[in-house]
Structures are given as C-alpha cells and as structure tokens.
Amino acid sequence: MHSPFYNRRSFLVTSGAVLACSALGAAGPAIAQGIAPTQSMRGGSNNYRPGAPLVEKLGNGFFVRGRVLRASDGAALKNVRIQIWAATTLGGEREPANHGSVLTRADGSYELEMEQIVPNFGQPHAHLAYDDRDFRQVFLRPVMPSAADRSVNADFVLVAA
Amino acid sequence: MRGAVLWGTLGTLGLIPVLLAANSPLLGYRGVAYIIGGFAGIICLSILLVQPLLPAGYLPGVTAATGRWLHRWTGTAIVSCVTLHVGGLYITSPPDTLDALFLVSPTPFSVYGVIALWALLITALLVALRRRLPVGLRVWRLLHNALALVAVLATVIHAVQIDGAMEPLSKTILCGAVMLTTLLAFIDLRVIRPLLARRRRSA
C-alpha cells in the first residue's frame, strides 16, 4: 500500500541511496553514459490517487507534456504510464475528473490535454507520478511560471527498481 | 471632514481588495471550504489595517477606551479568521495544509503563514493570561507589540507571494498600507512618545 503523504522519509532514504550509488559508480565504466535520475519534488504526491484511469484527454486547451528516459543509458522509454492530476477549471486536485494517465510514445514523449490548470494553494502547478513496478517511483510538482500558461512540461529520468 | 476622509480611505483600502477577490473567476473552480478559508485570510489582512490604529486613539470618533474595546473584538476576529483559514484549507487539501504546518511545503510563502499563525496564537495566549503572567504592563505591551509586528510582517510576506483570488494591485496596496499603519503606531507609541515623556520628566 502506498501512502501518499508519509513517503517523504522513504523518498529521502532512496534518493540518498541513489546519490551514494551514483557517486560510487561514477568511477566505473558501467554507468558512465547514465544520466541523472529525476528526484521527487516536495509535495509531489499530495492528493495522489493511485491508479488514475488511462484517458484520451481530460479536457481542452491545456497540455501537460514531457519525456520519459532511462537513467542507466538515457534511452527513451515507451509505454510507460504517467499519472497526472491538477486543479483545473473543473475543480480541485481531489476532483476525480482531474485525474488521468497516459502512456509514453516510442520516443518517450507523452502528452495529456486537460482543462486549464488554475492556481491552487497559491501556485499554478501540476502533479505527475511514475508509480509502477519497473522503476523507482517519482512524484513531480512542476510550477507554471504564469497562471496564463497553456502548457506545463515535466520530464522523468527513471532508475530501475 | 478629516475624519470622514480618513475613515473613507481606510474603508476603501480594506474593502476594495475583498470585493475584487469576490469577483475572481477562481472562485467558480473552488469548493465552499476553500472559498471560506481563502476569504478568512483576505478579511484578516483587511482587519490588520485598523488593528493597530484602534487602541492608539488615532481614529476620529473613537475614544481610547472604545478603541481598546474594539481592538479586543477585532483581535478576536483575527484569531477566528486564522482558524477558519487553516481549517478551510485543511478540509480542501489535508496534505498541502499539513506540509505547510510541518514546514515541509514546497511553496515559499507557507513558512511565513505559519510564523504569523504562531505569533498570533502566542499573542492570543498573552492576552488571555495577562493578569496571571508575572510581567508588568510595560513588558507585556512590548511583548504584545513585538509579536504583533512579527505577525503582520509575516502575514504581508505570506500574502504578496500568493497567486490566488486576490487582485494583485489591490493586494499590494493593502499590504503596504497594513505595514504603514502597523509601523506608524509602533514607532509613535513605543519609541517617540516614551522618548518625549522621558525628556519632559528630566526637563
């Protein structure tokens, strides 16, 4: 069972372990071509509901985009599920209509069209999660530079679980 | 005439931001708890505008005694608004509110909100225990004012950084006015007047 709120300690422990491993491994040739894994962001898992349904889109006019890569070799990851939720003109972050998942394309890119994201708890922001078996979970909370923005970008570099 | 201008200015500075926020399109996308919580914060900011002026006896038509009496009521209103603010936000999003209270929120303004919250709670406690505390009136006043200064400054920093229902220009002006009335009263009552009194005594 994943507990969305109290995973901060485990996040710190795992990110510390990842850092330590990458520092140790930096001398070796095995992961010399690796790229830095994406760290979870503070508050990234807030109002997360595991298992957001795969959707074509959640609305119109606003796009959440990004790419998903593998940390070990930088390869694009296809068919990876990214869960997305945000406060939009449809309601808050806990509104089910604001939760959906998409799969990445062959080039690792993903895109979800939804209703306009609106400022919530003081900042216009989205929430994204990678929370499946193959890689370590990552929770992101990108903030839009302006509430008038029509898109927000979030990339994932995943580490094998 | 001067009284009418002053009251008019204070009323405009305090009410316009609330009215503009009430017209924010964001309200249409929010639940009742979030709207109430948000407005409790906005109204709190407006009350802070007159809070230091009331007991100082600056307001025309308000005697010192009435001013202190009103100051206690507006003080109670401030504490109630803050409770509604935190409660409304908690109902809307428990994890975001707990993150803020535990100082692990990603938003830079949360920590100032929490500083203001604690400063206010301690102020309320100080008021409630005034007669039972082993401190004299002068020390009590200094503590009260120091905490109020912290609460006001932290509230203003909290408010200006928030992207929310408040219209930015009216919010900035209100925040500036709140700082102005607070500092004015503090410097006049706790710095200038004591110095003048001391000079008069030694003269």
Side-chain angles (χ1 to χ4, degrees), chain B:
Chain B
M1 182 61 199
R2 262 181 65 193
V5 171
L6 186 58
W7 276 111
T9 308
L10 287 173
T12 309
L13 283 170
L15 284 177
I16 296 274
V18 181
L19 294 176
L20 288 176
N23 275 311
S24 166
L26 287 179
L27 303 186
Y29 321 137
R30 294 180 176 181
V32 177
Y34 195 1
I35 293 174
I36 292 176
F39 272 87
I42 300 170
I43 290 166
C44 199
L45 187 60
S46 287
I47 299 176
L48 286 179
L49 183 64
V50 290
Q51 184 65 357
L53 304 180
L54 287 168
Y58 294 153
L59 294 176
V62 180
T63 62
T66 314
R68 276 196 297 275
W69 180 78
L70 282 170
H71 179 77
R72 275 195 286 276
W73 277 106
T74 44
T76 309
I78 288 170
V79 174
S80 311
C81 279
V82 168
T83 310
L84 273 178
H85 184 61
V86 177
L89 294 182
Y90 181 80
I91 291 169
T92 307
S93 176
D96 284 314
T97 309
L98 291 178
D99 277 0
L101 292 173
F102 292 142
L103 307 179
V104 290
S105 169
T107 50
F109 46 80
S110 304
V111 61
Y112 296 102
V114 176
I115 291 172
L117 171 69
W118 281 108
L120 272 172
L121 290 181
I122 300 171
T123 307
L125 220 65
L126 211 59
V127 172
L129 300 175
R130 178 169 164 180
R131 299 239 160 78
R132 271 177 266 173
L133 287 173
V135 293
L137 187 61
R138 263 180 60 192
V139 177
W140 186 90
R141 273 185 177 158
L142 215 64
L143 284 173
H144 183 66
N145 289 165
L147 283 165
L149 215 56
V150 171
V152 168
L153 185 63
T155 300
V156 164
I157 298 173
H158 176 68
V160 292
Q161 292 186 77
I162 288 172
D163 191 345
M166 289 192 84
E167 187 279 323
L169 181 63
S170 65
K171 177 170 72 176
T172 309
I173 294 172
L174 175 58
C175 285
V178 165
M179 283 309 301
L180 196 71
T181 56
T182 304
L183 289 175
L184 211 75
F186 186 80
I187 292 169
D188 179 37
L189 296 177
R190 301 291 172 253
V191 182
I192 295 177
R193 285 194 206 182
L195 282 178
L196 287 179
R198 186 180 295 179
R199 187 175 300 174
R200 224 173 295 134
R201 250 179 285 133
S202 59

Side-chain angles (χ1 to χ4, degrees), chain A residues 2 40 48-54 68 77-85 100-104 128-139 156 158-161:
Chain A
H2 171 81
S40 282
Y48 174 54
R49 290 167 180 244
L54 279 169
V68 182
L77 291 171
K78 185 186 168 187
N79 278 337
V80 170
R81 182 176 70 152
I82 297 298
Q83 303 182 50
I84 299 166
W85 68 103
S101 293
V102 284
L103 295 177
T104 54
L128 299 96
Y130 169 82
D131 186 24
D132 289 315
R133 265 174 303 173
D134 298 340
F135 300 93
R136 290 209 184 107
Q137 60 174 202
V138 174
F139 287 95
F156 290 75
L158 301 176
V159 180

Side-chain angles (χ1 to χ4, degrees), chain A residues 16-34 72:
Chain A
V18 168
L19 282 175
C21 289
S22 50
L24 285 173
I31 55 165
Q33 293 169 318
S72 57

